[in-house]
């Protein structure tokens, strides 16, 4: 990689940032298209976020991604935030338009695009159960509604948080077909039979030994199961595979949310296969393969 005075700099602000897999696949994508761009991880402490954001302007960075813990707090520091990011309350992508800093979120769109392109699944009119009510669930529910999902059910361990998310989906996104469900519904065969898509948007499954929320015998071959965990094959996905469901894990969403950021910064279509191969190669190296 040759860095010159013309090289455009992008990157990711996070704390910690060492775990981020974005540098691997973004740099591979720039290289494969011969673009004079580079993607750098920046470890930005929460108390330094405002200074770091000013640095995007001062240093003339082309743009950055934001990851934990900055996605919610960065909006107030930008010149403009688009409607989707404002509604979701999260920004993961900033671009520098001649000193004007604009923000959006690509998480939800990345999720829907990965479902369509990698899963061959169109969410329009479908009945969906989302597990979780945190930031990831909020982005995913917003994107599902924008993409025309039919009925949307939300379950969360802490019921009050699910109620809060559903209220937001109804009042801000105008989705009258969003409802909370309690834990008993997850064991209700008739309810499960009606679902087209289940999304695990919680962190459950990240650790070895985490149990699946759903009973394997209630999964059926017409169901698509999406688990946003990307670091390992979760118990939920193993059960989905055994039940003959179509399924995807979070590495697909990770690539597509990054691909949309790439397209915003470069104006070029992202080389999805290159990004996937780079991500898979990095995961193999981590496993010592
Ligand atoms: P993110 O922004 O990545 O979504 P988050 O806001 O911390 O992270 O949300 C994590 C989600 O995982 C929440 O829905 C959380 O449930 P609670 O709202 O009840 O905390 C869910 N979660 C985490 N650990 C869980 C567990 N052991 N069982 C069930 N849900 C869990």
């Amino acid at each position: 990689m040759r860095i010159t005075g013309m090289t455009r700099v992008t990157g990711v602000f996070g704390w910690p940032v060492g775990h981020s897999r974005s540098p691997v696949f973004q740099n591979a994508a720039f290289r494969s298209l011969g673009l004079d761009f580079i993607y750098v991880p920046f470890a930005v402490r929460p108390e330094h976020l405002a200074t770091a954001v000013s640095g995007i302007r001062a240093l003339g960075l082309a743009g950055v991604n934001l990851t934990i813990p900055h996605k919610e707090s960065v909006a107030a520091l930008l010149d403009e935030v688009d409607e989707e990011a404002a509604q979701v309350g999260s920004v993961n992508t900033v671009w520098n338009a001649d000193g004007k800093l604009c923000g959006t979120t690509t998480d939800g769109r990345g999720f829907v695009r990965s479902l369509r392109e990698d899963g061959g699944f169109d969410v329009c009119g479908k009945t969906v159960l989302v597990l979780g009510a945190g930031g990831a669930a909020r982005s995913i529910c917003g994107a599902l509604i924008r993409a025309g999902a039919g009925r949307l059910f939300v379950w969360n361990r802490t019921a009050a948080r699910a109620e809060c998310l559903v209220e937001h989906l109804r009042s801000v996104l105008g989705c009258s077909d969003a409802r909370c469900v309690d834990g008993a519904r997850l064991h209700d065969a008739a309810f499960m039979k009606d679902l087209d898509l289940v999304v695990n948007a919680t962190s459950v499954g990240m650790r070895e030994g985490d149990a699946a929320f759903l009973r394997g015998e209630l999964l059926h071959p017409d169901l698509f199961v999406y688990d946003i965990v990307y670091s390992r094959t979760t118990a939920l996905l193993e059960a989905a595979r055994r039940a003959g469901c179509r399924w995807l894990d979070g590495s697909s969403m990770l690539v597509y949310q990054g691909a949309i950021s790439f397209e915003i910064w470069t104006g070029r279509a992202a080389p999805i296969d290159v990004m996937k191969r780079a991500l898979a190669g990095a995961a193999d190296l981590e496993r010592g393969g």
Side-chain angles (χ1 to χ4, degrees):
M1 187 180 292
R2 209 169 64 93
I3 296 170
T4 71
M6 302 298 288
T7 304
R8 311 287 323 272
V9 180
T10 64
V12 54
F13 292 177
W15 185 262
V17 80
H19 66 281
S20 174
R21 303 207 177 165
S22 299
V24 169
F25 67 78
Q26 294 289 5
N27 283 313
F30 293 144
R31 271 199 304 276
S32 87
L33 295 189
L35 297 172
D36 193 7
F37 277 70
I38 185 170
Y39 188 101
V40 186
F42 294 102
V44 176
R45 289 175 181 275
E47 63 270 29
H48 292 156
L49 182 63
T51 315
V53 168
S54 299
I56 301 173
R57 270 192 218 94
L59 300 171
L61 306 193
V64 293
N65 284 136
L66 286 307
T67 186
I68 293 168
H70 302 314
K71 287 187 188 187
E72 285 83 31
S73 43
V74 76
L77 304 168
L78 302 176
D79 298 308
E80 209 172 276
V81 165
D82 74 3
E83 193 192 7
E84 184 170 356
Q87 284 177 347
V88 169
S90 169
V91 169
N92 79 336
T93 305
V94 169
W95 68 99
N96 181 356
D98 294 327
K100 184 172 153 191
L101 301 184
C102 309
T104 187
T105 176
T106 68
D107 286 331
R109 273 178 286 156
F111 168 78
V112 168
R113 190 162 149 191
S114 79
L115 253 181
R116 191 175 58 240
E117 295 185 23
D118 283 353
F121 185 93
D122 179 2
V123 301
C124 195
K126 298 295 195 308
T127 300
V128 185
L129 168 65
V130 173
L131 306 168
R138 183 175 276 248
S139 298
I140 285 169
C141 287
L144 284 167
I145 291 168
R146 268 186 206 86
R151 287 182 302 162
L152 183 55
F153 297 102
V154 178
W155 172 84
N156 194 52
R157 174 179 62 178
T158 310
R161 241 180 141 189
E163 280 156 22
C164 183
L165 173 55
V166 165
E167 168 54 26
H168 168 83
L169 300 175
R170 286 168 168 263
S171 58
V172 178
L173 291 170
C175 177
S176 53
D177 270 335
R179 279 189 185 74
C180 295
V181 292
D182 60 21
R185 299 300 288 280
L186 306 186
H187 301 285
D188 174 348
F191 172 72
M192 293 297 297
K193 187 96 199 72
D194 269 355
L195 298 176
D196 299 304
L197 170 67
V198 173
V199 184
N200 174 36
T202 74
S203 48
V204 175
M206 277 183 181
R207 283 165 303 269
E208 178 117 32
D210 278 356
F213 288 118
L214 304 173
R215 280 162 48 204
E217 66 271 24
L218 298 187
L219 303 178
H220 52 87
D222 294 331
L223 185 63
F224 199 111
V225 179
Y226 200 125
D227 198 323
I228 67 162
V229 171
Y230 62 79
S231 48
R232 53 193 309 280
T233 303
T234 62
L236 176 61
L237 287 188
E238 273 164 17
R241 236 189 275 183
R242 279 196 301 273
C245 304
R246 289 182 293 158
W247 59 273
L248 278 175
D249 69 27
S251 61
S252 178
M253 176 173 172
L254 183 65
V255 163
Y256 283 95
Q257 61 80 30
I260 300 170
S261 300
F262 178 99
E263 289 167 357
I264 289 171
W265 297 324
T266 66
R268 300 279 298 272
I272 300 289
D273 287 344
V274 170
M275 294 171 121
K276 282 184 187 167
R277 273 201 302 277
L279 186 62
D284 280 350
L285 272 182
E286 251 172 52
R287 282 192 289 264

CSV table of all heavy atoms in Angstrom, one decimal, residues 129 131 154-159 162 180-189 191-192 213-215 218:
chain,number,residue,atom,x,y,z
A,129,LEU,N,-40.2,-11.5,13.9
A,129,LEU,CA,-39.9,-11.5,15.3
A,129,LEU,C,-38.5,-11.0,15.6
A,129,LEU,O,-37.6,-11.6,15.1
A,129,LEU,CB,-40.1,-12.8,16.0
A,129,LEU,CG,-39.6,-13.0,17.4
A,129,LEU,CD1,-40.4,-12.1,18.4
A,129,LEU,CD2,-39.7,-14.4,17.9
A,131,LEU,N,-35.7,-10.3,18.4
A,131,LEU,CA,-35.3,-10.5,19.8
A,131,LEU,C,-34.3,-9.5,20.2
A,131,LEU,O,-33.3,-9.3,19.6
A,131,LEU,CB,-34.6,-11.9,19.9
A,131,LEU,CG,-35.4,-13.1,19.4
A,131,LEU,CD1,-34.6,-14.4,19.3
A,131,LEU,CD2,-36.7,-13.4,20.3
A,154,VAL,N,-41.7,-7.7,18.8
A,154,VAL,CA,-40.5,-7.5,19.6
A,154,VAL,C,-40.5,-8.2,20.9
A,154,VAL,O,-41.5,-8.0,21.7
A,154,VAL,CB,-40.2,-6.0,19.8
A,154,VAL,CG1,-38.9,-5.8,20.5
A,154,VAL,CG2,-40.2,-5.2,18.4
A,155,TRP,N,-39.5,-9.0,21.2
A,155,TRP,CA,-39.4,-9.6,22.5
A,155,TRP,C,-38.1,-9.1,23.1
A,155,TRP,O,-37.1,-9.0,22.4
A,155,TRP,CB,-39.4,-11.1,22.5
A,155,TRP,CG,-39.0,-11.7,23.9
A,155,TRP,CD1,-39.8,-11.9,24.9
A,155,TRP,CD2,-37.7,-12.0,24.3
A,155,TRP,NE1,-39.1,-12.4,26.0
A,155,TRP,CE2,-37.8,-12.4,25.7
A,155,TRP,CE3,-36.4,-11.9,23.8
A,155,TRP,CZ2,-36.7,-12.8,26.4
A,155,TRP,CZ3,-35.3,-12.3,24.5
A,155,TRP,CH2,-35.5,-12.8,25.9
A,156,ASN,N,-38.1,-8.7,24.4
A,156,ASN,CA,-36.8,-8.4,25.1
A,156,ASN,C,-36.9,-8.9,26.5
A,156,ASN,O,-37.9,-9.0,27.1
A,156,ASN,CB,-36.6,-6.9,25.1
A,156,ASN,CG,-35.2,-6.5,25.5
A,156,ASN,OD1,-34.3,-7.0,24.9
A,156,ASN,ND2,-35.0,-5.6,26.4
A,157,ARG,N,-35.7,-9.3,27.0
A,157,ARG,CA,-35.6,-9.8,28.4
A,157,ARG,C,-36.2,-8.8,29.4
A,157,ARG,O,-37.0,-9.1,30.2
A,157,ARG,CB,-34.1,-10.0,28.8
A,157,ARG,CG,-33.9,-10.4,30.2
A,157,ARG,CD,-32.4,-10.6,30.5
A,157,ARG,NE,-31.6,-9.4,30.2
A,157,ARG,CZ,-30.3,-9.3,30.4
A,157,ARG,NH1,-29.6,-10.4,30.8
A,157,ARG,NH2,-29.6,-8.2,30.2
A,158,THR,N,-35.9,-7.5,29.2
A,158,THR,CA,-36.4,-6.4,30.0
A,158,THR,C,-37.6,-5.9,29.2
A,158,THR,O,-37.5,-5.1,28.3
A,158,THR,CB,-35.4,-5.3,30.3
A,158,THR,OG1,-34.2,-5.9,30.7
A,158,THR,CG2,-35.9,-4.3,31.3
A,159,ALA,N,-38.8,-6.2,29.7
A,159,ALA,CA,-40.0,-5.9,28.9
A,159,ALA,C,-40.2,-4.4,28.7
A,159,ALA,O,-40.6,-4.0,27.6
A,159,ALA,CB,-41.3,-6.5,29.6
A,162,ALA,N,-38.6,-3.2,25.6
A,162,ALA,CA,-39.3,-3.6,24.3
A,162,ALA,C,-40.5,-2.7,24.1
A,162,ALA,O,-40.8,-2.2,23.0
A,162,ALA,CB,-39.8,-5.1,24.4
A,180,CYS,N,-45.3,-5.8,21.2
A,180,CYS,CA,-44.4,-6.5,22.1
A,180,CYS,C,-44.9,-7.9,22.3
A,180,CYS,O,-46.2,-8.1,22.3
A,180,CYS,CB,-44.4,-5.9,23.5
A,180,CYS,SG,-43.7,-4.3,23.5
A,181,VAL,N,-44.1,-8.9,22.5
A,181,VAL,CA,-44.5,-10.2,23.0
A,181,VAL,C,-43.8,-10.6,24.2
A,181,VAL,O,-42.7,-10.2,24.5
A,181,VAL,CB,-44.3,-11.3,21.9
A,181,VAL,CG1,-45.2,-11.1,20.7
A,181,VAL,CG2,-42.9,-11.4,21.4
A,182,ASP,N,-44.5,-11.5,25.1
A,182,ASP,CA,-43.8,-11.9,26.3
A,182,ASP,C,-43.1,-13.3,26.0
A,182,ASP,O,-43.3,-13.9,24.9
A,182,ASP,CB,-44.8,-12.0,27.5
A,182,ASP,CG,-45.9,-12.9,27.2
A,182,ASP,OD1,-45.8,-13.8,26.3
A,182,ASP,OD2,-47.0,-12.8,27.9
A,183,GLY,N,-42.4,-13.7,27.0
A,183,GLY,CA,-41.6,-14.9,26.8
A,183,GLY,C,-42.4,-16.2,26.4
A,183,GLY,O,-41.9,-17.1,25.7
A,184,ALA,N,-43.6,-16.2,26.9
A,184,ALA,CA,-44.5,-17.4,26.7
A,184,ALA,C,-44.7,-17.6,25.2
A,184,ALA,O,-44.8,-18.7,24.7
A,184,ALA,CB,-45.8,-17.2,27.4
A,185,ARG,N,-44.8,-16.5,24.4
A,185,ARG,CA,-45.0,-16.6,23.0
A,185,ARG,C,-43.9,-17.3,22.3
A,185,ARG,O,-44.1,-18.0,21.2
A,185,ARG,CB,-45.2,-15.2,22.3
A,185,ARG,CG,-46.4,-14.4,22.9
A,185,ARG,CD,-47.7,-15.1,22.7
A,185,ARG,NE,-48.2,-15.1,21.3
A,185,ARG,CZ,-48.8,-14.1,20.7
A,185,ARG,NH1,-49.0,-13.0,21.3
A,185,ARG,NH2,-49.2,-14.2,19.4
A,186,LEU,N,-42.7,-17.2,22.8
A,186,LEU,CA,-41.5,-17.9,22.2
A,186,LEU,C,-41.7,-19.4,22.2
A,186,LEU,O,-41.0,-20.1,21.5
A,186,LEU,CB,-40.2,-17.4,22.8
A,186,LEU,CG,-40.0,-15.9,22.9
A,186,LEU,CD1,-38.5,-15.7,23.4
A,186,LEU,CD2,-40.1,-15.2,21.5
A,187,HIS,N,-42.6,-19.9,23.1
A,187,HIS,CA,-42.8,-21.3,23.2
A,187,HIS,C,-44.1,-21.7,22.6
A,187,HIS,O,-44.5,-22.9,22.8
A,187,HIS,CB,-42.7,-21.7,24.7
A,187,HIS,CG,-41.4,-21.4,25.4
A,187,HIS,ND1,-40.3,-22.1,25.1
A,187,HIS,CD2,-41.1,-20.3,26.2
A,187,HIS,CE1,-39.3,-21.5,25.8
A,187,HIS,NE2,-39.7,-20.5,26.4
A,188,ASP,N,-44.8,-20.8,21.9
A,188,ASP,CA,-46.1,-21.1,21.4
A,188,ASP,C,-46.0,-21.5,19.9
A,188,ASP,O,-45.6,-20.7,19.1
A,188,ASP,CB,-46.9,-19.7,21.6
A,188,ASP,CG,-48.2,-19.8,20.9
A,188,ASP,OD1,-48.5,-20.7,20.1
A,188,ASP,OD2,-49.0,-18.8,21.2
A,189,ALA,N,-46.3,-22.8,19.7
A,189,ALA,CA,-46.0,-23.3,18.3
A,189,ALA,C,-46.8,-22.6,17.2
A,189,ALA,O,-46.3,-22.3,16.1
A,189,ALA,CB,-46.4,-24.8,18.3
A,191,PHE,N,-47.8,-19.4,17.2
A,191,PHE,CA,-47.2,-18.1,17.0
A,191,PHE,C,-45.9,-18.3,16.1
A,191,PHE,O,-45.7,-17.6,15.1
A,191,PHE,CB,-46.8,-17.5,18.3
A,191,PHE,CG,-46.0,-16.2,18.2
A,191,PHE,CD1,-46.5,-15.1,17.7
A,191,PHE,CD2,-44.6,-16.3,18.6
A,191,PHE,CE1,-45.7,-13.9,17.6
A,191,PHE,CE2,-43.8,-15.1,18.5
A,191,PHE,CZ,-44.4,-13.9,18.0
A,192,MET,N,-45.1,-19.3,16.5
A,192,MET,CA,-43.8,-19.5,15.7
A,192,MET,C,-44.1,-19.9,14.3
A,192,MET,O,-43.4,-19.6,13.4
A,192,MET,CB,-43.0,-20.6,16.4
A,192,MET,CG,-42.5,-20.2,17.8
A,192,MET,SD,-41.4,-18.8,17.7
A,192,MET,CE,-40.0,-19.4,16.7
A,213,PHE,N,-32.6,-18.9,22.4
A,213,PHE,CA,-33.8,-18.5,23.0
A,213,PHE,C,-35.0,-19.4,22.6
A,213,PHE,O,-36.0,-19.5,23.3
A,213,PHE,CB,-34.2,-17.1,22.5
A,213,PHE,CG,-33.3,-16.0,23.1
A,213,PHE,CD1,-32.6,-15.2,22.3
A,213,PHE,CD2,-33.3,-15.7,24.5
A,213,PHE,CE1,-31.8,-14.2,22.8
A,213,PHE,CE2,-32.5,-14.7,25.0
A,213,PHE,CZ,-31.8,-13.9,24.1
A,214,LEU,N,-34.9,-19.9,21.4
A,214,LEU,CA,-36.0,-20.6,20.8
A,214,LEU,C,-35.8,-22.1,20.8
A,214,LEU,O,-34.7,-22.6,20.6
A,214,LEU,CB,-36.2,-20.1,19.4
A,214,LEU,CG,-36.3,-18.6,19.2
A,214,LEU,CD1,-36.3,-18.2,17.7
A,214,LEU,CD2,-37.6,-18.1,19.9
A,215,ARG,N,-36.9,-22.8,21.0
A,215,ARG,CA,-36.8,-24.3,21.1
A,215,ARG,C,-36.7,-24.8,19.6
A,215,ARG,O,-37.5,-24.4,18.7
A,215,ARG,CB,-38.0,-24.9,21.7
A,215,ARG,CG,-37.9,-24.8,23.3
A,215,ARG,CD,-39.2,-24.9,24.0
A,215,ARG,NE,-39.9,-26.1,23.5
A,215,ARG,CZ,-41.3,-26.2,23.6
A,215,ARG,NH1,-42.0,-25.2,24.1
A,215,ARG,NH2,-41.9,-27.3,23.2
A,218,LEU,N,-39.6,-25.9,17.4
A,218,LEU,CA,-40.5,-24.9,16.9
A,218,LEU,C,-40.0,-24.2,15.7
A,218,LEU,O,-40.8,-23.4,15.1
A,218,LEU,CB,-40.9,-23.9,18.0
A,218,LEU,CG,-41.5,-24.4,19.3
A,218,LEU,CD1,-41.9,-23.3,20.2
A,218,LEU,CD2,-42.7,-25.3,19.0
